[in-house]
Amino acid sequence: MHIHHGRVNLPRGQLQRGAESGYGMSLSVINRDRAILALVVVILTLAATGEAQSTVERFQLFNDCQPIDIVVERLPREAGEIGLRGEAIQATVESRLRSAHLYDPEAVPFLYINVNVGPRAFHISLEFHKEVRDLASGLSSTAPTWLTGVTGTHGRDSGYLLSLISRQIEEFLGEFLEVNGEAC
Protein backbone atom coordinates (compact mmCIF):
# COMPACT_ATOMS: atom_id res chain seq x y z
CA MET A 1 0.00 0.00 0.00
CA HIS A 2 1.26 3.49 -0.87
CA ILE A 3 -0.17 6.84 0.14
CA HIS A 4 0.21 9.64 -2.35
CA HIS A 5 -1.50 13.05 -2.10
CA GLY A 6 -4.18 11.78 0.30
CA ARG A 7 -5.10 8.78 -1.87
CA VAL A 8 -4.42 5.18 -1.01
CA ASN A 9 -2.95 3.03 -3.78
CA LEU A 10 -3.34 -0.68 -3.04
CA PRO A 11 -1.56 -3.47 -4.86
CA ARG A 12 -3.59 -5.27 -7.57
CA GLY A 13 -6.26 -7.63 -6.35
CA GLN A 14 -7.12 -5.64 -3.19
CA LEU A 15 -10.33 -3.66 -2.82
CA GLN A 16 -10.00 -0.01 -3.75
CA ARG A 17 -12.49 2.54 -2.51
CA GLY A 18 -12.34 5.58 -4.67
CA ALA A 19 -13.97 7.30 -7.60
CA GLU A 20 -12.48 4.79 -10.01
CA SER A 21 -13.84 1.82 -8.02
CA GLY A 22 -17.46 2.86 -8.37
CA TYR A 23 -18.01 3.89 -4.74
CA GLY A 24 -18.02 7.53 -5.77
CA MET A 25 -15.87 8.92 -2.91
CA SER A 26 -12.15 8.68 -2.15
CA LEU A 27 -10.71 7.67 1.22
CA SER A 28 -9.21 11.12 1.61
CA VAL A 29 -12.68 12.73 1.55
CA ILE A 30 -14.09 10.12 3.96
CA ASN A 31 -11.13 10.48 6.32
CA ARG A 32 -11.29 14.28 6.20
CA ASP A 33 -15.01 14.21 7.03
CA ARG A 34 -14.39 11.79 9.91
CA ALA A 35 -11.56 13.97 11.20
CA ILE A 36 -13.78 17.08 11.09
CA LEU A 37 -16.59 15.24 12.88
CA ALA A 38 -14.16 14.00 15.54
CA LEU A 39 -12.82 17.53 16.02
CA VAL A 40 -16.35 18.94 16.42
CA VAL A 41 -17.18 16.25 19.02
CA VAL A 42 -13.99 17.02 20.97
CA ILE A 43 -14.65 20.79 20.93
CA LEU A 44 -18.26 20.37 22.08
CA THR A 45 -17.20 17.94 24.81
CA LEU A 46 -14.55 20.33 26.09
CA ALA A 47 -17.00 23.23 26.06
CA ALA A 48 -19.60 21.23 27.99
CA THR A 49 -16.98 19.99 30.45
CA GLY A 50 -15.70 23.53 31.02
CA GLU A 51 -19.24 24.76 31.65
CA ALA A 52 -19.94 21.92 34.06
CA GLN A 53 -16.56 22.43 35.72
CA SER A 54 -17.21 26.13 36.33
CA THR A 55 -20.64 25.32 37.79
CA VAL A 56 -19.08 22.77 40.15
CA GLU A 57 -16.32 25.20 41.11
CA ARG A 58 -18.90 27.91 41.81
CA PHE A 59 -20.79 25.53 44.11
CA GLN A 60 -17.60 24.42 45.83
CA LEU A 61 -16.03 27.82 46.40
CA PHE A 62 -18.42 30.72 45.75
CA ASN A 63 -19.34 32.66 48.87
CA ASP A 64 -19.53 36.22 47.52
CA CYS A 65 -15.97 36.79 48.79
CA GLN A 66 -17.05 36.70 52.43
CA PRO A 67 -14.34 36.29 55.10
CA ILE A 68 -13.25 32.85 56.26
CA ASP A 69 -12.38 31.45 59.67
CA ILE A 70 -9.74 28.78 60.35
CA VAL A 71 -10.10 25.51 62.27
CA VAL A 72 -6.90 23.55 62.91
CA GLU A 73 -7.51 20.01 64.14
CA ARG A 74 -5.60 19.02 67.27
CA LEU A 75 -2.27 17.51 66.25
CA PRO A 76 -1.16 13.99 67.18
CA ARG A 77 1.68 13.47 69.65
CA GLU A 78 4.09 12.60 66.80
CA ALA A 79 3.69 16.12 65.37
CA GLY A 80 5.10 17.59 68.57
CA GLU A 81 7.99 15.13 68.43
CA ILE A 82 9.16 16.66 65.15
CA GLY A 83 8.51 20.23 66.32
CA LEU A 84 5.22 20.89 64.51
CA ARG A 85 2.83 23.03 66.54
CA GLY A 86 -0.81 23.92 65.92
CA GLU A 87 0.02 27.57 66.59
CA ALA A 88 2.50 27.56 63.70
CA ILE A 89 -0.11 26.09 61.36
CA GLN A 90 -2.70 28.64 62.55
CA ALA A 91 -0.24 31.52 62.04
CA THR A 92 0.75 30.30 58.55
CA VAL A 93 -2.84 29.99 57.34
CA GLU A 94 -4.08 33.13 59.10
CA SER A 95 -1.27 35.24 57.67
CA ARG A 96 -2.05 34.18 54.12
CA LEU A 97 -5.81 34.72 54.51
CA ARG A 98 -5.20 38.14 56.11
CA SER A 99 -2.99 39.19 53.19
CA ALA A 100 -5.88 38.27 50.85
CA HIS A 101 -8.29 40.23 53.12
CA LEU A 102 -10.28 37.07 53.78
CA TYR A 103 -9.68 36.22 57.45
CA ASP A 104 -12.33 36.73 60.13
CA PRO A 105 -12.37 34.56 63.27
CA GLU A 106 -16.14 35.13 63.54
CA ALA A 107 -16.97 34.05 59.96
CA VAL A 108 -19.27 31.11 59.22
CA PRO A 109 -17.34 29.63 56.27
CA PHE A 110 -14.05 28.14 57.41
CA LEU A 111 -10.94 26.32 56.30
CA TYR A 112 -10.40 23.07 58.17
CA ILE A 113 -6.79 21.91 58.37
CA ASN A 114 -6.03 18.38 59.54
CA VAL A 115 -2.45 17.16 59.84
CA ASN A 116 -1.72 13.54 60.70
CA VAL A 117 1.89 12.70 61.47
CA GLY A 118 3.41 9.29 62.04
CA PRO A 119 6.99 8.28 62.80
CA ARG A 120 7.99 8.80 59.14
CA ALA A 121 4.91 9.75 57.14
CA PHE A 122 2.23 12.43 57.12
CA HIS A 123 -1.10 13.37 55.57
CA ILE A 124 -2.33 16.96 55.33
CA SER A 125 -5.88 17.77 54.30
CA LEU A 126 -7.44 21.16 53.74
CA GLU A 127 -11.22 21.54 53.43
CA PHE A 128 -13.38 24.56 52.72
CA HIS A 129 -16.66 24.44 54.66
CA LYS A 130 -19.54 26.75 53.84
CA GLU A 131 -23.24 26.95 54.50
CA VAL A 132 -25.34 24.75 52.25
CA ARG A 133 -29.10 24.31 52.11
CA ASP A 134 -30.96 21.03 51.73
CA LEU A 135 -33.63 21.62 49.10
CA ALA A 136 -35.90 18.86 50.42
CA SER A 137 -36.10 20.05 54.03
CA GLY A 138 -35.06 23.67 53.69
CA LEU A 139 -32.51 23.17 56.49
CA SER A 140 -29.02 24.58 56.18
CA SER A 141 -25.72 23.71 57.77
CA THR A 142 -22.03 24.00 57.05
CA ALA A 143 -20.50 21.23 54.98
CA PRO A 144 -17.19 20.66 53.18
CA THR A 145 -17.53 21.65 49.53
CA TRP A 146 -13.86 21.71 48.44
CA LEU A 147 -10.85 19.74 49.58
CA THR A 148 -7.26 18.95 48.78
CA GLY A 149 -4.62 16.85 50.47
CA VAL A 150 -1.09 15.58 50.31
CA THR A 151 0.61 12.49 51.73
CA GLY A 152 4.30 11.68 51.99
CA THR A 153 7.29 11.30 54.25
CA HIS A 154 8.43 14.19 56.43
CA GLY A 155 12.06 13.45 57.31
CA ARG A 156 11.29 14.89 60.77
CA ASP A 157 11.19 18.38 59.21
CA SER A 158 8.30 20.48 60.52
CA GLY A 159 9.28 23.35 58.18
CA TYR A 160 8.67 21.06 55.23
CA LEU A 161 5.15 20.32 56.47
CA LEU A 162 4.44 24.03 57.00
CA SER A 163 5.61 24.74 53.45
CA LEU A 164 3.21 22.08 52.13
CA ILE A 165 0.35 23.63 54.12
CA SER A 166 1.28 27.01 52.65
CA ARG A 167 1.18 25.53 49.12
CA GLN A 168 -2.25 24.07 49.79
CA ILE A 169 -3.46 27.48 50.98
CA GLU A 170 -2.10 29.02 47.77
CA GLU A 171 -3.97 26.40 45.72
CA PHE A 172 -7.17 27.15 47.63
CA LEU A 173 -6.80 30.92 47.30
CA GLY A 174 -6.05 30.69 43.58
CA GLU A 175 -9.23 28.74 42.92
CA PHE A 176 -11.29 30.71 45.46
CA LEU A 177 -10.31 34.08 44.01
CA GLU A 178 -10.90 32.85 40.46
CA VAL A 179 -14.48 31.87 41.34
CA ASN A 180 -15.19 34.87 43.59
CA GLY A 181 -13.13 37.41 41.57
CA GLU A 182 -15.90 39.86 40.72
CA ALA A 183 -17.21 39.87 44.30
CA CYS A 184 -13.74 40.48 45.74
Side-chain angles (χ1 to χ4, degrees), residues 20-53:
E20 62 279 344
S21 66
Y23 285 99
M25 193 178 293
S26 72
L27 278 177
S28 62
V29 172
I30 293 171
N31 288 337
R32 185 188 69 218
D33 290 345
R34 284 184 182 166
I36 291 171
L37 178 61
L39 183 59
V40 168
V41 168
V42 168
I43 290 170
L44 291 175
T45 302
L46 289 175
T49 303
E51 222 173 272
Q53 181 68 19

Side-chain angles (χ1 to χ4, degrees), residues 101-166:
H101 307 286
L102 290 172
Y103 178 69
D104 180 356
E106 303 297 319
V108 172
F110 63 92
L111 280 176
Y112 171 75
I113 300 97
N114 187 13
V115 180
N116 288 299
V117 178
R120 293 185 182 99
F122 69 89
H123 177 76
I124 301 168
S125 63
L126 177 71
E127 300 175 356
F128 177 60
H129 291 241
K130 70 176 191 174
E131 189 170 325
V132 294
R133 180 177 306 277
D134 177 46
L135 296 177
S137 68
L139 298 174
S140 63
S141 182
T142 58
T145 57
W146 181 93
L147 63 97
T148 188
V150 62
T151 299
T153 57
H154 53 68
R156 304 191 58 78
D157 183 357
S158 64
Y160 173 65
L161 296 179
L162 286 172
S163 73
L164 290 175
I165 292 167
S166 184

Side-chain angles (χ1 to χ4, degrees), residues 65-129:
C65 208
Q66 296 301 307
I68 302 167
D69 192 11
I70 302 165
V71 175
V72 177
E73 185 67 45
R74 194 166 77 179
L75 297 174
R77 178 182 45 80
E78 291 86 356
E81 291 173 3
I82 67 166
L84 184 63
R85 305 277 181 256
E87 298 82 14
I89 295 170
Q90 176 79 24
T92 297
V93 176
E94 185 177 322
S95 170
R96 191 58 194 101
L97 289 179
R98 280 187 190 280
S99 69
H101 307 286
L102 290 172
Y103 178 69
D104 180 356
E106 303 297 319
V108 172
F110 63 92
L111 280 176
Y112 171 75
I113 300 97
N114 187 13
V115 180
N116 288 299
V117 178
R120 293 185 182 99
F122 69 89
H123 177 76
I124 301 168
S125 63
L126 177 71
E127 300 175 356
F128 177 60
H129 291 241

Side-chain angles (χ1 to χ4, degrees), residues 55-68:
T55 301
V56 169
E57 287 173 346
R58 284 188 59 77
F59 169 75
Q60 290 175 330
L61 294 166
F62 186 77
N63 80 340
D64 210 20
C65 208
Q66 296 301 307
I68 302 167

